[in-house]
Amino acid sequence: MSQTIQPSGLSRRGALASMLAATAAALPVMASAAPHAQDAALQALSDAFWLVHNEIQSADYLAEHEYGSPEQKRLEAKLDQLCQQEGLLVKQLAQVPARTQSGLKAKAAILQSLLPDIMRDCYLSDDSGEFLLVMSLLGDLTGGAQI
């Protein structure tokens, strides 16, 4: 299965801001009936995100290739495509409100996975009060699950 990925222009920082806003907006909206049906679209996007994210993580740790080699160029092109796809999925996730605790946990787990790398990539300290507060909130929402 091949997909054409269009560049979204979405930065990881923009994706983070969108995801934080969507998660914060969804906090008061917790329904108890039929959680899977209420968050079916969100769960499908979440599943797609984790497939792509895990592929990125495994590709990041492949053996290093000589700079400029065909293997290195192929890996970089694949990672670029996967990162674009991941960015699109995060943007889509931010647009789907979580309606249940399960949906909130799905969004929080994604943020919990992405936020540390984003903070480091942006040269922000992961021991700042703001970062620790966000991670604490995400931990509370995911029941303390370590990703």
Side-chain angles (χ1 to χ4, degrees):
M1 167 169 73
S2 72
Q3 293 181 338
T4 302
I5 305 297
Q6 298 295 322
S8 67
L10 177 69
S11 69
R12 289 190 75 118
R13 183 177 278 194
L16 171 64
S18 296
M19 187 65 90
L20 284 172
T23 302
L27 285 174
V29 184
M30 295 202 194
S32 60
H36 295 299
Q38 290 182 0
D39 279 331
L42 186 133
Q43 192 59 51
L45 287 169
S46 176
D47 291 346
F49 168 85
W50 285 112
L51 286 173
V52 172
H53 184 74
N54 289 336
E55 192 170 348
I56 290 169
Q57 293 300 309
S58 66
D60 275 345
Y61 298 107
L62 294 176
E64 289 189 32
H65 300 286
E66 182 179 331
Y67 181 77
S69 70
E71 296 86 7
Q72 186 262 339
K73 288 179 181 180
R74 190 171 44 254
L75 177 61
E76 289 297 321
K78 180 179 181 175
L79 283 173
D80 185 54
Q81 178 191 23
L82 289 169
C83 288
Q84 287 180 27
Q85 188 175 2
E86 182 184 64
L88 288 172
L89 287 165
V90 170
K91 186 175 182 180
Q92 291 171 340
L93 280 159
Q95 295 172 355
V96 178
R99 304 205 183 279
T100 66
Q101 186 68 27
S102 176
L104 289 170
K105 282 184 176 186
K107 283 186 169 186
I110 289 169
L111 267 176
Q112 202 171 24
S113 176
L114 292 175
L115 188 59
D117 287 338
I118 291 169
M119 297 292 286
R120 279 187 285 279
D121 290 346
C122 296
Y123 306 108
L124 300 172
S125 171
D126 60 357
D127 66 347
S128 70
E130 295 83 0
F131 176 77
L132 294 172
L133 179 60
V134 169
M135 292 306 288
S136 173
L137 170 63
L138 296 175
D140 294 345
L141 286 171
T142 60
Q146 295 297 314
I147 306 298

